[in-house]
Amino acid sequence: MAEREELLKEISDAIISCKKDNVLEAVNKARGDLEASDIIENGLAAGMNEVGMKFERGKLFLPHVMMAAEAMTDAVKTLEEDMPQESRGKPLGVVINGTVEGDVHDIGKSIVSTMLQASGFEVYDIGRDVPAQDFIDKIKEHNADVVGISALMTTTLQGQKDIIELLKEAGMRDDTVVMVGGAPATQAWADKIGADIYAENASIAVNKTKEKLGASK
Ligand code: B12
């Protein structure tokens, strides 16, 4: 069995190469040995972070980032098949999860949806570039316990606060657990806008949601 570190590095290097075939090959090689969540967080996402840094330094350009993003999305879809679904009679809670209006970044948000679903939550992923009012309407429609709000740009972060304000106006704030995330979000930001949960990655999001809803596992 190849070393975990070696397999993860191969995956992250493949993402950095921005070639879909390389990514799927490296992921398929690791699938038998490593858990899907490990591959996603420590292989694919690690590579994507590196892509982001190279983009910032002008070493990679937007078309490369788009190719890497597409490869990552496909790889996560493939890995969903490997995730043991924690099947219970009743879901641990109902979650609405989306990316704020004006923001098309959805890779991280979709990973959070996938991991919550695999952990026994009923998840409605409402997509990206979602108007604030749509979050409120979907929470009502599905009688959701939790709303996950993703924002990947400093310019769209404010959208998280807007949704909290709308929840207050609708008299729904006390009945809805608000969870925020995305690269520019921090615990300090979450505290400032009065969110209930901040999570820096999908595994932490699952643990904190379970903790908040009092779910045992
Ligand atoms: C991939 C990418 C893209 C792809 C997105 C594809 C897609 N389908 O998502 C494409 C190429 C389309 C893109 C476009 C743009 N991008 Co872009 N993009 C990135 C990049 C490189 C990686 C993001 C990513 O997917 N990371 C991997 C995932 C796994 O990590 P993540 O998203 O952080 O998610 C994890 C956590 O944050 C957390 N999380 C995420 N969401 C949530 C939600 C909840 C509820 C919780 C609890 C947790 C959580 O858990 C996730 C999993 O662990 C970042 C760089 C970076 N460092 O983030 C830039 C970046 C975000 N983009 C940036 C920019 C500027 C743009 C563009 C404006 C570029 C342009 N000039 O046109 C456009 C945006 C258009 C728009 N209106 O939205 C900037 C934003 C700068 C800023 N102002 O803050 C960044 C930081 C790059 C940079 N330094 O310039 N981008």
Side-chain angles (χ1 to χ4, degrees), residues 41 45 48-49 51-52 55-56 62 65-66 69 72 97 102-109 111-112 128 148-150 152-155 179-183 199-202 205:
E41 300 259 15
M48 205 63 207
N49 285 337
V51 167
F55 177 61
E56 276 165 45
L62 205 55
V65 179
M66 288 171 85
M72 173 145 183
N97 197 28
D103 197 327
V104 303
H105 298 89
D106 66 354
I107 297 176
K109 177 270 299 163
I111 293 173
V112 172
R128 58 189 183 178
I149 318 171
S150 184
L152 257 288
M153 298 192 288
T154 46
T155 46
M179 174 163 69
V180 295
E200 66 188 71
N201 66 38

mmCIF file of all heavy atoms in Angstrom, residues 41 45 48-49 51-52 55-56 62 65-66 69 72 97 102-109 111-112 128 148-150 152-155 179-183 199-202 205, ligand 1:
data_model
loop_
_atom_site.group_PDB
_atom_site.id
_atom_site.type_symbol
_atom_site.label_atom_id
_atom_site.label_comp_id
_atom_site.label_asym_id
_atom_site.label_seq_id
_atom_site.Cartn_x
_atom_site.Cartn_y
_atom_site.Cartn_z
ATOM 1 N N GLU A 41 -10.358 16.636 1.648
ATOM 2 C CA GLU A 41 -9.809 17.749 2.445
ATOM 3 C C GLU A 41 -8.297 17.879 2.292
ATOM 4 O O GLU A 41 -7.773 18.986 2.160
ATOM 5 C CB GLU A 41 -10.112 17.540 3.939
ATOM 6 C CG GLU A 41 -11.591 17.462 4.248
ATOM 7 C CD GLU A 41 -12.134 18.761 4.817
ATOM 8 O OE1 GLU A 41 -11.456 19.788 4.718
ATOM 9 O OE2 GLU A 41 -13.244 18.715 5.356
ATOM 10 N N ALA A 45 -8.520 19.577 -1.790
ATOM 11 C CA ALA A 45 -8.626 20.958 -1.302
ATOM 12 C C ALA A 45 -7.228 21.547 -1.081
ATOM 13 O O ALA A 45 -7.004 22.744 -1.343
ATOM 14 C CB ALA A 45 -9.449 21.010 -0.018
ATOM 15 N N MET A 48 -6.061 22.669 -4.350
ATOM 16 C CA MET A 48 -6.810 23.856 -4.790
ATOM 17 C C MET A 48 -6.291 25.109 -4.089
ATOM 18 O O MET A 48 -6.232 26.191 -4.692
ATOM 19 C CB MET A 48 -8.290 23.622 -4.466
ATOM 20 C CG MET A 48 -9.222 24.383 -5.314
ATOM 21 S SD MET A 48 -9.097 23.928 -7.043
ATOM 22 C CE MET A 48 -9.628 25.415 -7.757
ATOM 23 N N ASN A 49 -5.928 24.969 -2.822
ATOM 24 C CA ASN A 49 -5.362 26.126 -2.101
ATOM 25 C C ASN A 49 -4.074 26.586 -2.763
ATOM 26 O O ASN A 49 -3.803 27.779 -2.893
ATOM 27 C CB ASN A 49 -5.082 25.772 -0.632
ATOM 28 C CG ASN A 49 -6.356 25.721 0.169
ATOM 29 O OD1 ASN A 49 -7.356 26.329 -0.221
ATOM 30 N ND2 ASN A 49 -6.349 24.994 1.263
ATOM 31 N N VAL A 51 -3.325 26.117 -5.895
ATOM 32 C CA VAL A 51 -3.730 26.762 -7.160
ATOM 33 C C VAL A 51 -4.076 28.227 -6.893
ATOM 34 O O VAL A 51 -3.669 29.134 -7.632
ATOM 35 C CB VAL A 51 -4.939 26.016 -7.795
ATOM 36 C CG1 VAL A 51 -5.570 26.837 -8.916
ATOM 37 C CG2 VAL A 51 -4.506 24.660 -8.327
ATOM 38 N N GLY A 52 -4.810 28.448 -5.793
ATOM 39 C CA GLY A 52 -5.190 29.817 -5.422
ATOM 40 C C GLY A 52 -3.963 30.686 -5.198
ATOM 41 O O GLY A 52 -3.907 31.834 -5.658
ATOM 42 N N PHE A 55 -2.302 31.465 -8.441
ATOM 43 C CA PHE A 55 -3.119 32.437 -9.171
ATOM 44 C C PHE A 55 -2.819 33.852 -8.639
ATOM 45 O O PHE A 55 -2.608 34.794 -9.400
ATOM 46 C CB PHE A 55 -4.598 32.069 -9.003
ATOM 47 C CG PHE A 55 -5.570 33.012 -9.648
ATOM 48 C CD1 PHE A 55 -5.558 33.227 -11.026
ATOM 49 C CD2 PHE A 55 -6.539 33.665 -8.903
ATOM 50 C CE1 PHE A 55 -6.469 34.091 -11.627
ATOM 51 C CE2 PHE A 55 -7.456 34.525 -9.489
ATOM 52 C CZ PHE A 55 -7.416 34.740 -10.858
ATOM 53 N N GLU A 56 -2.765 33.943 -7.288
ATOM 54 C CA GLU A 56 -2.480 35.245 -6.679
ATOM 55 C C GLU A 56 -1.118 35.784 -7.100
ATOM 56 O O GLU A 56 -0.936 36.977 -7.297
ATOM 57 C CB GLU A 56 -2.506 35.131 -5.147
ATOM 58 C CG GLU A 56 -3.899 35.248 -4.582
ATOM 59 C CD GLU A 56 -3.980 34.769 -3.140
ATOM 60 O OE1 GLU A 56 -3.104 35.135 -2.345
ATOM 61 O OE2 GLU A 56 -4.929 34.021 -2.835
ATOM 62 N N LEU A 62 -6.658 32.469 -15.004
ATOM 63 C CA LEU A 62 -8.037 32.063 -14.761
ATOM 64 C C LEU A 62 -8.440 30.761 -15.477
ATOM 65 O O LEU A 62 -9.081 29.905 -14.868
ATOM 66 C CB LEU A 62 -8.989 33.216 -15.108
ATOM 67 C CG LEU A 62 -10.331 33.181 -14.386
ATOM 68 C CD1 LEU A 62 -10.186 33.115 -12.870
ATOM 69 C CD2 LEU A 62 -11.167 34.384 -14.779
ATOM 70 N N VAL A 65 -7.325 27.949 -13.408
ATOM 71 C CA VAL A 65 -8.120 27.806 -12.185
ATOM 72 C C VAL A 65 -9.453 27.133 -12.523
ATOM 73 O O VAL A 65 -9.926 26.253 -11.807
ATOM 74 C CB VAL A 65 -8.362 29.189 -11.524
ATOM 75 C CG1 VAL A 65 -9.195 29.040 -10.266
ATOM 76 C CG2 VAL A 65 -7.048 29.876 -11.194
ATOM 77 N N MET A 66 -10.045 27.506 -13.655
ATOM 78 C CA MET A 66 -11.319 26.916 -14.051
ATOM 79 C C MET A 66 -11.163 25.421 -14.331
ATOM 80 O O MET A 66 -12.017 24.623 -13.945
ATOM 81 C CB MET A 66 -11.881 27.639 -15.280
ATOM 82 C CG MET A 66 -12.372 29.027 -14.919
ATOM 83 S SD MET A 66 -12.792 30.008 -16.347
ATOM 84 C CE MET A 66 -14.459 29.466 -16.607
ATOM 85 N N ALA A 69 -10.758 23.674 -11.049
ATOM 86 C CA ALA A 69 -12.048 23.658 -10.337
ATOM 87 C C ALA A 69 -12.960 22.571 -10.911
ATOM 88 O O ALA A 69 -13.621 21.838 -10.182
ATOM 89 C CB ALA A 69 -12.711 25.024 -10.448
ATOM 90 N N MET A 72 -11.754 19.215 -9.846
ATOM 91 C CA MET A 72 -12.062 18.959 -8.440
ATOM 92 C C MET A 72 -13.535 18.603 -8.261
ATOM 93 O O MET A 72 -13.873 17.671 -7.533
ATOM 94 C CB MET A 72 -11.707 20.202 -7.611
ATOM 95 C CG MET A 72 -12.150 20.076 -6.194
ATOM 96 S SD MET A 72 -11.033 20.840 -5.035
ATOM 97 C CE MET A 72 -11.847 20.401 -3.501
ATOM 98 N N ASN A 97 -28.220 25.030 2.350
ATOM 99 C CA ASN A 97 -26.828 25.465 2.179
ATOM 100 C C ASN A 97 -26.650 26.110 0.810
ATOM 101 O O ASN A 97 -27.075 25.558 -0.205
ATOM 102 C CB ASN A 97 -25.903 24.244 2.297
ATOM 103 C CG ASN A 97 -24.462 24.607 2.534
ATOM 104 O OD1 ASN A 97 -24.163 25.654 3.109
ATOM 105 N ND2 ASN A 97 -23.557 23.749 2.114
ATOM 106 N N GLY A 102 -23.975 37.106 -6.014
ATOM 107 C CA GLY A 102 -22.797 37.788 -6.549
ATOM 108 C C GLY A 102 -21.534 36.947 -6.486
ATOM 109 O O GLY A 102 -20.474 37.386 -6.920
ATOM 110 N N ASP A 103 -21.666 35.734 -5.959
ATOM 111 C CA ASP A 103 -20.488 34.884 -5.743
ATOM 112 C C ASP A 103 -20.722 33.528 -6.393
ATOM 113 O O ASP A 103 -21.679 32.827 -6.042
ATOM 114 C CB ASP A 103 -20.279 34.730 -4.232
ATOM 115 C CG ASP A 103 -18.892 34.220 -3.876
ATOM 116 O OD1 ASP A 103 -18.335 33.438 -4.665
ATOM 117 O OD2 ASP A 103 -18.388 34.595 -2.811
ATOM 118 N N VAL A 104 -19.865 33.173 -7.372
ATOM 119 C CA VAL A 104 -20.087 31.902 -8.090
ATOM 120 C C VAL A 104 -19.237 30.751 -7.541
ATOM 121 O O VAL A 104 -19.277 29.641 -8.068
ATOM 122 C CB VAL A 104 -19.820 32.040 -9.613
ATOM 123 C CG1 VAL A 104 -20.686 33.130 -10.230
ATOM 124 C CG2 VAL A 104 -18.349 32.272 -9.919
ATOM 125 N N HIS A 105 -18.458 31.013 -6.514
ATOM 126 C CA HIS A 105 -17.615 29.948 -5.957
ATOM 127 C C HIS A 105 -18.487 28.936 -5.218
ATOM 128 O O HIS A 105 -19.191 29.314 -4.280
ATOM 129 C CB HIS A 105 -16.578 30.535 -4.998
ATOM 130 C CG HIS A 105 -15.629 31.480 -5.657
ATOM 131 N ND1 HIS A 105 -15.889 32.818 -5.761
ATOM 132 C CD2 HIS A 105 -14.430 31.268 -6.265
ATOM 133 C CE1 HIS A 105 -14.885 33.405 -6.400
ATOM 134 N NE2 HIS A 105 -13.979 32.486 -6.722
ATOM 135 N N ASP A 106 -18.426 27.667 -5.643
ATOM 136 C CA ASP A 106 -19.308 26.696 -4.979
ATOM 137 C C ASP A 106 -18.635 25.383 -4.613
ATOM 138 O O ASP A 106 -19.293 24.464 -4.119
ATOM 139 C CB ASP A 106 -20.557 26.433 -5.826
ATOM 140 C CG ASP A 106 -20.255 25.733 -7.143
ATOM 141 O OD1 ASP A 106 -19.068 25.543 -7.477
ATOM 142 O OD2 ASP A 106 -21.221 25.377 -7.841
ATOM 143 N N ILE A 107 -17.339 25.268 -4.844
ATOM 144 C CA ILE A 107 -16.684 23.976 -4.582
ATOM 145 C C ILE A 107 -16.714 23.654 -3.087
ATOM 146 O O ILE A 107 -17.149 22.574 -2.682
ATOM 147 C CB ILE A 107 -15.235 23.994 -5.108
ATOM 148 C CG1 ILE A 107 -15.243 24.169 -6.626
ATOM 149 C CG2 ILE A 107 -14.510 22.715 -4.724
ATOM 150 C CD1 ILE A 107 -13.866 24.309 -7.243
ATOM 151 N N GLY A 108 -16.251 24.601 -2.278
ATOM 152 C CA GLY A 108 -16.203 24.378 -0.828
ATOM 153 C C GLY A 108 -17.589 24.171 -0.244
ATOM 154 O O GLY A 108 -17.813 23.261 0.563
ATOM 155 N N LYS A 109 -18.535 24.997 -0.688
ATOM 156 C CA LYS A 109 -19.927 24.874 -0.207
ATOM 157 C C LYS A 109 -20.485 23.491 -0.536
ATOM 158 O O LYS A 109 -21.147 22.859 0.288
ATOM 159 C CB LYS A 109 -20.761 25.994 -0.853
ATOM 160 C CG LYS A 109 -22.233 26.012 -0.553
ATOM 161 C CD LYS A 109 -23.058 25.220 -1.525
ATOM 162 C CE LYS A 109 -22.973 25.695 -2.962
ATOM 163 N NZ LYS A 109 -23.461 24.686 -3.916
ATOM 164 N N ILE A 111 -18.813 20.737 -0.949
ATOM 165 C CA ILE A 111 -18.170 19.726 -0.100
ATOM 166 C C ILE A 111 -18.863 19.689 1.268
ATOM 167 O O ILE A 111 -19.133 18.628 1.818
ATOM 168 C CB ILE A 111 -16.661 20.028 0.061
ATOM 169 C CG1 ILE A 111 -15.947 19.862 -1.283
ATOM 170 C CG2 ILE A 111 -16.026 19.115 1.108
ATOM 171 C CD1 ILE A 111 -14.492 20.290 -1.279
ATOM 172 N N VAL A 112 -19.175 20.876 1.780
ATOM 173 C CA VAL A 112 -19.872 20.943 3.068
ATOM 174 C C VAL A 112 -21.227 20.221 2.953
ATOM 175 O O VAL A 112 -21.588 19.418 3.814
ATOM 176 C CB VAL A 112 -20.065 22.419 3.517
ATOM 177 C CG1 VAL A 112 -20.958 22.518 4.741
ATOM 178 C CG2 VAL A 112 -18.703 23.070 3.808
ATOM 179 N N ARG A 128 -25.333 28.440 -6.031
ATOM 180 C CA ARG A 128 -24.454 29.593 -5.850
ATOM 181 C C ARG A 128 -25.136 30.842 -6.399
ATOM 182 O O ARG A 128 -26.131 30.734 -7.110
ATOM 183 C CB ARG A 128 -23.135 29.350 -6.574
ATOM 184 C CG ARG A 128 -23.335 29.087 -8.068
ATOM 185 C CD ARG A 128 -22.038 28.640 -8.669
ATOM 186 N NE ARG A 128 -22.140 28.436 -10.097
ATOM 187 C CZ ARG A 128 -21.129 28.088 -10.866
ATOM 188 N NH1 ARG A 128 -19.937 27.906 -10.341
ATOM 189 N NH2 ARG A 128 -21.287 27.926 -12.151
ATOM 190 N N GLY A 148 -26.638 27.135 6.062
ATOM 191 C CA GLY A 148 -25.200 27.285 5.796
ATOM 192 C C GLY A 148 -25.034 28.352 4.730
ATOM 193 O O GLY A 148 -25.709 28.315 3.696
ATOM 194 N N ILE A 149 -24.160 29.325 5.004
ATOM 195 C CA ILE A 149 -23.985 30.428 4.054
ATOM 196 C C ILE A 149 -22.510 30.552 3.704
ATOM 197 O O ILE A 149 -21.671 30.824 4.560
ATOM 198 C CB ILE A 149 -24.475 31.778 4.633
ATOM 199 C CG1 ILE A 149 -25.802 31.608 5.386
ATOM 200 C CG2 ILE A 149 -24.604 32.814 3.524
ATOM 201 C CD1 ILE A 149 -26.228 32.863 6.154
ATOM 202 N N SER A 150 -22.220 30.355 2.421
ATOM 203 C CA SER A 150 -20.833 30.413 1.961
ATOM 204 C C SER A 150 -20.560 31.717 1.217
ATOM 205 O O SER A 150 -21.420 32.214 0.486
ATOM 206 C CB SER A 150 -20.570 29.220 1.022
ATOM 207 O OG SER A 150 -19.226 29.190 0.622
ATOM 208 N N LEU A 152 -16.934 33.484 -0.750
ATOM 209 C CA LEU A 152 -15.504 33.275 -1.026
ATOM 210 C C LEU A 152 -14.757 34.556 -1.331
ATOM 211 O O LEU A 152 -13.552 34.533 -1.567
ATOM 212 C CB LEU A 152 -15.357 32.284 -2.201
ATOM 213 C CG LEU A 152 -14.968 30.845 -1.855
ATOM 214 C CD1 LEU A 152 -13.530 30.731 -1.427
ATOM 215 C CD2 LEU A 152 -15.867 30.297 -0.760
ATOM 216 N N MET A 153 -15.480 35.679 -1.357
ATOM 217 C CA MET A 153 -14.789 36.919 -1.684
ATOM 218 C C MET A 153 -15.058 37.960 -0.591
ATOM 219 O O MET A 153 -16.157 37.984 -0.015
ATOM 220 C CB MET A 153 -15.260 37.452 -3.038
ATOM 221 C CG MET A 153 -14.954 36.467 -4.172
ATOM 222 S SD MET A 153 -15.176 37.188 -5.809
ATOM 223 C CE MET A 153 -16.926 37.318 -5.910
ATOM 224 N N THR A 154 -14.075 38.793 -0.343
ATOM 225 C CA THR A 154 -14.259 39.847 0.676
ATOM 226 C C THR A 154 -15.445 40.728 0.270
ATOM 227 O O THR A 154 -16.162 41.226 1.130
ATOM 228 C CB THR A 154 -12.984 40.698 0.800
ATOM 229 O OG1 THR A 154 -12.541 41.037 -0.511
ATOM 230 C CG2 THR A 154 -11.878 39.950 1.500
ATOM 231 N N THR A 155 -15.648 40.853 -1.044
ATOM 232 C CA THR A 155 -16.721 41.721 -1.542
ATOM 233 C C THR A 155 -18.115 41.116 -1.364
ATOM 234 O O THR A 155 -19.106 41.832 -1.463
ATOM 235 C CB THR A 155 -16.508 42.008 -3.045
ATOM 236 O OG1 THR A 155 -16.211 40.765 -3.682
ATOM 237 C CG2 THR A 155 -15.374 42.976 -3.272
ATOM 238 N N MET A 179 -24.890 29.086 10.124
ATOM 239 C CA MET A 179 -23.493 28.627 10.016
ATOM 240 C C MET A 179 -22.830 29.334 8.829
ATOM 241 O O MET A 179 -23.369 29.312 7.721
ATOM 242 C CB MET A 179 -23.486 27.122 9.795
ATOM 243 C CG MET A 179 -22.112 26.552 9.518
ATOM 244 S SD MET A 179 -22.060 24.792 9.759
ATOM 245 C CE MET A 179 -23.066 24.215 8.406
ATOM 246 N N VAL A 180 -21.696 29.973 9.069
ATOM 247 C CA VAL A 180 -21.022 30.665 7.965
ATOM 248 C C VAL A 180 -19.647 30.066 7.711
ATOM 249 O O VAL A 180 -19.018 29.484 8.597
ATOM 250 C CB VAL A 180 -20.893 32.190 8.226
ATOM 251 C CG1 VAL A 180 -22.255 32.846 8.272
ATOM 252 C CG2 VAL A 180 -20.102 32.485 9.495
ATOM 253 N N GLY A 181 -19.188 30.208 6.462
ATOM 254 C CA GLY A 181 -17.869 29.700 6.094
ATOM 255 C C GLY A 181 -17.435 30.261 4.760
ATOM 256 O O GLY A 181 -18.141 31.063 4.146
ATOM 257 N N GLY A 182 -16.251 29.825 4.332
ATOM 258 C CA GLY A 182 -15.647 30.348 3.097
ATOM 259 C C GLY A 182 -14.347 31.045 3.467
ATOM 260 O O GLY A 182 -14.234 31.566 4.581
ATOM 261 N N ALA A 183 -13.412 31.058 2.523
ATOM 262 C CA ALA A 183 -12.051 31.519 2.826
ATOM 263 C C ALA A 183 -11.941 32.861 3.571
ATOM 264 O O ALA A 183 -11.168 32.960 4.522
ATOM 265 C CB ALA A 183 -11.222 31.533 1.546
ATOM 266 N N ALA A 199 -17.128 27.562 10.649
ATOM 267 C CA ALA A 199 -16.295 26.370 10.463
ATOM 268 C C ALA A 199 -15.350 26.614 9.310
ATOM 269 O O ALA A 199 -15.768 27.091 8.254
ATOM 270 C CB ALA A 199 -17.163 25.146 10.196
ATOM 271 N N GLU A 200 -14.082 26.267 9.540
ATOM 272 C CA GLU A 200 -13.104 26.542 8.485
ATOM 273 C C GLU A 200 -13.035 25.449 7.436
ATOM 274 O O GLU A 200 -12.492 25.667 6.355
ATOM 275 C CB GLU A 200 -11.729 26.821 9.084
ATOM 276 C CG GLU A 200 -11.113 25.633 9.776
ATOM 277 C CD GLU A 200 -9.844 26.026 10.515
ATOM 278 O OE1 GLU A 200 -9.974 26.713 11.542
ATOM 279 O OE2 GLU A 200 -8.751 25.649 10.068
ATOM 280 N N ASN A 201 -13.583 24.277 7.757
ATOM 281 C CA ASN A 201 -13.673 23.257 6.711
ATOM 282 C C ASN A 201 -14.891 22.366 6.947
ATOM 283 O O ASN A 201 -15.599 22.517 7.952
ATOM 284 C CB ASN A 201 -12.368 22.445 6.590
ATOM 285 C CG ASN A 201 -12.095 21.614 7.823
ATOM 286 O OD1 ASN A 201 -13.001 21.060 8.437
ATOM 287 N ND2 ASN A 201 -10.822 21.542 8.199
ATOM 288 N N ALA A 202 -15.099 21.424 6.018
ATOM 289 C CA ALA A 202 -16.335 20.647 6.039
ATOM 290 C C ALA A 202 -16.418 19.702 7.245
ATOM 291 O O ALA A 202 -17.500 19.527 7.818
ATOM 292 C CB ALA A 202 -16.462 19.872 4.732
ATOM 293 N N ALA A 205 -17.393 21.660 10.130
ATOM 294 C CA ALA A 205 -18.798 22.055 9.968
ATOM 295 C C ALA A 205 -19.727 20.935 10.439
ATOM 296 O O ALA A 205 -20.709 21.182 11.152
ATOM 297 C CB ALA A 205 -19.081 22.412 8.511
HETATM 298 C C1 B12 B 1 -11.572 27.982 -7.867
HETATM 299 C C2 B12 B 1 -11.660 29.479 -7.832
HETATM 300 C C3 B12 B 1 -12.484 30.087 -8.791
HETATM 301 C C4 B12 B 1 -13.353 29.312 -9.774
HETATM 302 C C5 B12 B 1 -14.650 28.884 -9.028
HETATM 303 C C6 B12 B 1 -15.241 27.588 -9.559
HETATM 304 C C7 B12 B 1 -16.333 27.074 -8.673
HETATM 305 N N1 B12 B 1 -17.233 26.339 -9.274
HETATM 306 O O1 B12 B 1 -16.370 27.299 -7.464
HETATM 307 C C8 B12 B 1 -13.612 30.373 -10.878
HETATM 308 C C9 B12 B 1 -12.515 30.250 -11.904
HETATM 309 C C10 B12 B 1 -14.959 30.322 -11.568
HETATM 310 C C11 B12 B 1 -13.403 31.657 -10.078
HETATM 311 C C12 B12 B 1 -13.917 32.883 -10.465
HETATM 312 C C13 B12 B 1 -13.623 34.064 -9.818
HETATM 313 N N2 B12 B 1 -12.776 34.257 -8.800
HETATM 314 CO CO1 B12 B 1 -12.045 32.791 -7.779
HETATM 315 N N3 B12 B 1 -11.034 31.572 -6.853
HETATM 316 C C14 B12 B 1 -10.930 30.248 -6.860
HETATM 317 C C15 B12 B 1 -9.854 29.761 -5.854
HETATM 318 C C16 B12 B 1 -8.556 29.553 -6.612
HETATM 319 C C17 B12 B 1 -10.158 28.500 -5.083
HETATM 320 C C18 B12 B 1 -11.499 28.439 -4.339
HETATM 321 C C19 B12 B 1 -11.786 27.006 -3.966
HETATM 322 O O2 B12 B 1 -12.597 26.346 -4.609
HETATM 323 N N4 B12 B 1 -11.049 26.472 -2.974
HETATM 324 C C20 B12 B 1 -11.130 25.066 -2.565
HETATM 325 C C21 B12 B 1 -12.276 24.860 -1.576
HETATM 326 C C22 B12 B 1 -12.327 23.407 -1.112
HETATM 327 O O3 B12 B 1 -12.012 25.661 -0.448
HETATM 328 P P1 B12 B 1 -13.038 26.738 0.091
HETATM 329 O O4 B12 B 1 -13.900 27.244 -0.980
HETATM 330 O O5 B12 B 1 -12.316 27.700 0.945
HETATM 331 O O6 B12 B 1 -14.019 25.865 1.028
HETATM 332 C C23 B12 B 1 -13.652 25.280 2.273
HETATM 333 C C24 B12 B 1 -13.817 26.239 3.458
HETATM 334 O O7 B12 B 1 -13.698 27.608 3.130
HETATM 335 C C25 B12 B 1 -15.140 25.885 4.039
HETATM 336 N N5 B12 B 1 -16.372 26.462 3.485
HETATM 337 C C26 B12 B 1 -16.654 26.941 2.268
HETATM 338 N N6 B12 B 1 -17.932 27.297 2.187
HETATM 339 C C27 B12 B 1 -18.497 27.044 3.373
HETATM 340 C C28 B12 B 1 -19.797 27.215 3.828
HETATM 341 C C29 B12 B 1 -20.101 26.888 5.127
HETATM 342 C C30 B12 B 1 -21.499 27.059 5.615
HETATM 343 C C31 B12 B 1 -19.086 26.391 5.991
HETATM 344 C C32 B12 B 1 -19.402 26.098 7.386
HETATM 345 C C33 B12 B 1 -17.788 26.194 5.525
HETATM 346 C C34 B12 B 1 -17.504 26.520 4.225
HETATM 347 O O8 B12 B 1 -15.197 24.491 3.832
HETATM 348 C C35 B12 B 1 -14.697 24.190 2.535
HETATM 349 C C36 B12 B 1 -14.208 22.789 2.474
HETATM 350 O O9 B12 B 1 -13.226 22.506 3.417
HETATM 351 C C37 B12 B 1 -9.797 30.992 -4.880
HETATM 352 C C38 B12 B 1 -8.489 31.150 -4.104
HETATM 353 C C39 B12 B 1 -8.618 30.795 -2.650
HETATM 354 N N7 B12 B 1 -7.500 30.794 -1.993
HETATM 355 O O10 B12 B 1 -9.681 30.551 -2.114
HETATM 356 C C40 B12 B 1 -10.084 32.149 -5.825
HETATM 357 C C41 B12 B 1 -10.709 33.472 -5.304
HETATM 358 C C42 B12 B 1 -11.755 33.182 -4.244
HETATM 359 N N8 B12 B 1 -11.341 34.037 -6.497
HETATM 360 C C43 B12 B 1 -11.195 35.309 -6.557
HETATM 361 C C44 B12 B 1 -11.708 36.117 -7.616
HETATM 362 C C45 B12 B 1 -11.344 37.587 -7.553
HETATM 363 C C46 B12 B 1 -12.500 35.577 -8.638
HETATM 364 C C47 B12 B 1 -13.117 36.323 -9.811
HETATM 365 C C48 B12 B 1 -13.684 37.725 -9.515
HETATM 366 C C49 B12 B 1 -12.029 36.345 -10.886
HETATM 367 C C50 B12 B 1 -12.168 37.252 -12.029
HETATM 368 N N9 B12 B 1 -11.228 38.158 -12.077
HETATM 369 O O11 B12 B 1 -13.094 37.106 -12.803
HETATM 370 C C51 B12 B 1 -14.224 35.358 -10.255
HETATM 371 C C52 B12 B 1 -15.507 35.525 -9.388
HETATM 372 C C53 B12 B 1 -16.736 35.773 -10.088
HETATM 373 C C54 B12 B 1 -17.905 35.828 -9.081
HETATM 374 N N10 B12 B 1 -18.756 36.802 -9.263
HETATM 375 O O12 B12 B 1 -18.034 35.060 -8.178
HETATM 376 C C55 B12 B 1 -10.421 35.859 -5.372
HETATM 377 C C56 B12 B 1 -11.299 36.601 -4.369
HETATM 378 C C57 B12 B 1 -10.596 37.826 -3.839
HETATM 379 C C58 B12 B 1 -11.442 38.545 -2.836
HETATM 380 N N11 B12 B 1 -11.935 39.680 -3.172
HETATM 381 O O13 B12 B 1 -11.649 38.090 -1.761
HETATM 382 C C59 B12 B 1 -9.681 34.619 -4.861
HETATM 383 C C60 B12 B 1 -9.364 34.602 -3.348
HETATM 384 C C61 B12 B 1 -8.354 34.479 -5.678
HETATM 385 C C62 B12 B 1 -7.477 35.706 -5.538
HETATM 386 N N12 B12 B 1 -6.632 35.764 -4.563
HETATM 387 O O14 B12 B 1 -7.569 36.602 -6.339
HETATM 388 N N13 B12 B 1 -12.648 31.436 -8.988
#
